[in-house]
Amino acid sequence: MKILICVRRLDAGGAEMLECRLAKNLAQMGHEVHLAGQYGYHTFDTPEVSSRWLTSGVAAVHWLRGGGGHRALRAAYRLRNLVREYSIEMVLTSNVGLDGIAWLARCMGGSFAHIIGHHEYYLPKDFRFWQFLLWRKAVRSSDKSYAITDFVRNNIVDICGIKNNVCSTVLNSIDLSKEIPARDASWMQSEFGIGKSERVLVFVGRIVHNKGCDMLIKHLGPHLKRWNARLLLVGSHYMDSVNYAFYESLMKLIDAQNDPELINLVGHRSDVNRIIANADVLVHFARHEGFGLVLAEALVAGIPVVATDVGGISEILKESPCLPVPLFRPSDFVEKVEYWLRPSLSSKKTLMKAAHIAEKRYSDTRRTKEIEGILKRGLKSWYGNTV
């Protein structure tokens, strides 16, 4: 198969890295796979970044130079031309903007099967009216699609009005080629000033309202000194007005704690897997979450997870001893954290068993094979519709 996988950027992002690794793995299985960045290489990516994927087997890397308004039309026109130039049989997109661009490219005469990967769940209020109509049209006209959890799949089926058999569930995967780092208390001490006897609670994710960082500070902050623990919030924050205001409110919330020095906002880190490996508990008080890739990463590393029961989180944790807690019962969240700071021997053994299960459940190999099957069915469906 000749496949073009379109992503927002080539160098970072959970969904983006999943689909870039998918491109690499499909290429290694013998398919001709191209990657396309949604914007120009000067926006996020650079020619140097693309070399990472070219050396792993991807046939070529392109940029659609998209954006809002007329830029989306220009991106659709370029996508149509790429399909014609390289005889692409199918295009895989994985966000709202790219889904619409692929639909527009087919309206411009592009002839290809369109597969959509749904990495998020939505409500109509999340869109402008015209944007929702365009995206729903793109989803309805796609040949096949997949969603990262049953929760997300059911959401897409409901709001877009598509048939259940058009959209499959394919759980996300993590990069198991990276070796899990060993625990290193001296590194944590030198890097973050954490004492060797201190416990470490870690949050990893974007510093935005939906991720619930404020709830972690509010409900865990008062207990940190008693637990002899430190809370690390690892992740970047966006500088638009809404998210910057939230970031400023977090700083004020931290300053208002009795022991603000026990809470560290450490920003973006490239060594997240090393931080997770040195955590005692991964904490995730999300208000909105389609999957929660970091939860799977923690399970594989044998780190206990305390998370809220929203979105698809319960599906991720169901084969582990770390069952999620209701969003509106923060006292249960605190209780679970306290338990995992001093777990029983039997809980530790169950956690290690869950780590072995998670390795198989969240492997790139499993995900690639499942999506390859969807691509083949999508291509067959498209050929049937165009005959």
Side-chain angles (χ1 to χ4, degrees):
M1 295 185 289
K2 292 188 176 182
I3 310 159
L4 174 61
I5 297 179
C6 302
V7 294
R8 182 169 176 265
R9 56 194 298 176
L10 301 169
D11 65 329
E16 291 85 351
M17 291 300 95
L18 276 164
E19 305 304 15
C20 285
R21 294 205 310 273
L22 173 67
K24 177 192 72 173
N25 294 333
L26 286 170
Q28 292 173 352
M29 293 170 69
H31 303 292
E32 182 182 320
V33 187
H34 298 238
L35 274 171
Q38 185 171 355
Y39 304 101
Y41 63 79
H42 57 280
T43 305
F44 290 124
D45 308 312
T46 64
E48 289 75 24
V49 170
S50 67
S51 66
R52 170 187 174 184
W53 305 111
L54 291 171
T55 55
S56 69
V58 171
V61 175
H62 315 278
W63 287 274
L64 299 180
R65 302 169 194 163
H70 72 280
R71 291 189 180 91
L73 293 173
R74 182 178 67 184
Y77 179 76
R78 178 154 175 75
L79 176 58
R80 185 204 67 176
N81 290 345
L82 286 172
V83 167
R84 291 178 175 178
E85 181 179 353
Y86 294 96
S87 301
I88 298 295
E89 294 176 291
M90 66 181 66
V91 173
L92 189 156
T93 57
S94 54
N95 68 38
V96 170
L98 287 167
D99 300 342
I101 287 170
W103 177 75
L104 287 170
R106 294 218 290 192
C107 292
M108 293 175 178
S111 182
F112 55 87
H114 183 200
I115 313 298
I116 296 179
H118 297 289
H119 289 263
E120 188 57 273
Y121 66 93
Y122 305 99
L123 297 173
K125 69 179 181 64
D126 295 331
F127 300 85
R128 295 175 181 173
F129 180 70
W130 64 266
Q131 186 185 36
F132 175 70
L133 291 180
L134 174 62
W135 176 68
R136 186 174 65 177
K137 183 71 174 177
V139 172
R140 286 178 170 180
S141 65
S142 65
D143 298 286
K144 289 290 179 184
S145 62
Y146 59 89
I148 56 177
T149 56
D150 286 339
F151 182 90
V152 171
R153 183 183 65 81
N154 293 337
N155 167 254
I156 299 300
V157 167
D158 288 343
I159 70 170
C160 293
I162 60 175
K163 295 179 180 178
N164 275 310
N165 62 354
V166 173
C167 187
S168 306
T169 298
V170 179
L171 294 175
N172 282 343
S173 60
I174 60 178
D175 188 359
L176 295 174
S177 66
K178 296 179 181 178
E179 185 177 349
I180 298 173
R183 292 181 70 89
D184 187 347
S186 60
W187 178 77
M188 293 292 282
Q189 186 174 24
S190 63
E191 198 73 17
F192 304 109
I194 295 174
K196 291 186 177 181
S197 64
E198 281 187 288
R199 305 289 181 144
V200 183
L201 309 178
V202 171
F203 163 84
V204 177
R206 291 170 293 158
I207 308 299
V208 295
H209 182 262
N210 280 340
K211 298 294 184 180
C213 305
D214 55 327
M215 301 298 280
L216 291 174
I217 296 169
K218 180 180 178 181
H219 295 293
L220 300 185
H223 302 280
L224 293 175
K225 188 171 184 178
R226 177 170 62 87
W227 291 340
N228 188 30
R230 191 79 67 92
L231 174 61
L232 298 186
L233 303 173
V234 184
S236 56
H237 66 279
Y238 296 106
M239 296 302 290
D240 61 82
S241 58
V242 174
N243 287 311
Y244 188 70
F246 176 71
Y247 181 79
E248 284 191 317
S249 72
L250 282 188
M251 298 302 294
K252 292 178 182 178
L253 189 57
I254 292 172
D255 290 339
Q257 300 299 307
N258 290 332
D259 304 288
E261 71 280 359
L262 299 180
I263 303 172
N264 297 41
L265 271 165
V266 302
H268 172 75
R269 301 281 302 201
S270 59
D271 54 357
V272 168
N273 62 330
R274 191 174 187 183
I275 295 173
I276 291 174
N278 281 279
D280 290 287
V281 185
L282 184 102
V283 289
H284 199 73
F285 211 115
R287 296 179 170 96
H288 177 111
E289 189 70 78
F291 188 90
L293 199 60
V294 69
L295 309 184
E297 292 174 337
L299 288 178
V300 170
I303 304 301
V305 173
V306 179
T308 45
D309 191 2
V310 297
I313 287 179
S314 61
E315 296 176 53
I316 310 311
L317 300 179
K318 70 178 182 180
E319 294 190 46
S320 80
C322 307
L323 298 181
V325 300
L327 176 61
F328 298 109
R329 291 171 63 177
S331 59
D332 289 4
F333 194 96
V334 172
E335 187 179 318
K336 278 286 185 74
V337 172
E338 188 157 6
Y339 170 78
W340 282 113
L341 284 173
R342 295 170 178 83
S344 64
L345 181 60
S346 62
S347 293
K348 288 182 179 179
K349 289 180 178 178
T350 306
L351 194 63
M352 295 314 298
K353 183 179 179 180
H356 294 305
I357 294 172
E359 277 191 37
K360 297 179 180 178
R361 195 168 188 234
Y362 301 115
S363 72
D364 276 350
T365 301
R366 185 269 313 158
R367 182 175 187 267
T368 302
K369 289 180 179 178
E370 290 182 13
I371 294 178
E372 183 191 33
I374 292 169
L375 294 174
K376 289 178 178 178
R377 293 194 295 275
L379 189 60
K380 184 178 179 180
S381 174
W382 174 70
Y383 274 128
N385 291 334
T386 54
V387 171

